[in-house]
Amino acid sequence: YKKFSMKRILFFCSVCLMITFVINTMVACRSCGDKRVDDISKVPGIYEGQAELQIPENLKKMVKPDSTGKSPIPDGPIPCKLEIKENENKELTIELVDFKMPMKGMELTPSSCRVSQEGEAFVLEGEGKVSLGTKGSLSYEHEGKIEGTDIHLDGTVYIIPKLLGVKIVFDGAKS
């Protein structure tokens, strides 16, 4: 059994500290490719604009007119408002404001919203569900960008997951 000299103890402690410092730097360092956002205070708010539905032709043929002979599919853009806010878990969510769903029992739940940053623009992405009452639900995804006060958001509500869906394009500005 050898006695440790003071030089060996100092050398061992120095090596341990150096290894700890290097590991901490590698874990905590934000590289250029890291797009986390520290200040999202400019993102929350109400965005007014209009949404346009892009429905595949084969899906349009399956939709029957109502009793008055009118198609439930809107002809042009639909005026609407989106609200981006923080929930009780400090996560951002997006939801429709002052919008009546086209079918009774249909409800759009607030969707999650992850935010990253590209220069001055905020990039949004997330997913959510459209409840159809007792008939189940449909999933949807969205992605978009906020530049200044303008927002562009592309969403897809999937009829058949990842295969067939209705695309919704929202363009607006923060009010």
Side-chain angles (χ1 to χ4, degrees):
Y1 159 67
K2 288 183 178 180
K3 281 191 164 185
F4 288 105
S5 70
M6 190 59 133
K7 287 183 181 180
R8 284 187 176 175
I9 292 172
L10 284 174
F11 177 73
F12 180 72
C13 287
S14 298
V15 169
C16 287
L17 283 172
M18 184 61 83
I19 289 172
T20 304
F21 175 75
V22 169
I23 289 173
N24 188 35
T25 303
M26 292 174 74
V27 172
C29 180
R30 292 187 178 187
S31 66
C32 295
D34 193 352
K35 296 180 180 177
R36 287 180 281 187
V37 183
D38 290 322
D39 182 19
I40 57 166
S41 62
K42 295 178 183 176
V43 174
I46 294 179
Y47 295 84
E48 292 186 53
Q50 45 189 324
E52 190 173 325
L53 298 177
Q54 298 173 352
I55 302 171
E57 286 302 318
N58 55 352
L59 197 55
K60 278 184 184 178
K61 292 176 186 175
M62 296 167 64
V63 176
K64 295 184 184 304
D66 64 11
S67 60
T68 63
K70 245 182 126 180
S71 173
I73 300 172
D75 292 335
I78 306 163
C80 61
K81 296 178 191 175
L82 291 178
E83 182 176 16
I84 300 176
K85 63 182 179 180
E86 255 187 311
N87 65 14
E88 59 276 353
N89 299 330
K90 301 286 185 199
E91 301 166 332
L92 285 181
T93 60
I94 295 179
E95 63 182 297
L96 281 170
V97 178
D98 301 332
F99 185 78
K100 186 176 179 204
M101 295 304 275
M103 287 175 33
K104 189 174 182 176
M106 181 183 259
E107 183 183 335
L108 183 67
T109 58
S111 69
S112 67
C113 182
R114 293 175 297 282
V115 179
S116 59
Q117 197 165 8
E118 288 180 1
E120 294 295 313
F122 293 100
V123 178
L124 311 171
E125 60 182 339
E127 56 279 325
K129 295 240 180 252
V130 177
S131 172
L132 302 174
T134 58
K135 297 177 184 175
S137 65
L138 301 172
S139 64
Y140 67 90
E141 295 177 345
H142 62 82
E143 60 181 31
K145 198 176 260 191
I146 297 174
E147 294 184 76
T149 59
D150 295 334
I151 186 172
H152 175 83
L153 202 62
D154 292 320
T156 304
V157 177
Y158 290 105
I159 309 302
I160 300 172
K162 304 291 182 189
L163 225 48
L164 178 64
V166 174
K167 188 168 178 148
I168 302 165
V169 177
F170 176 81
D171 286 301
K174 195 172 195 177
S175 54

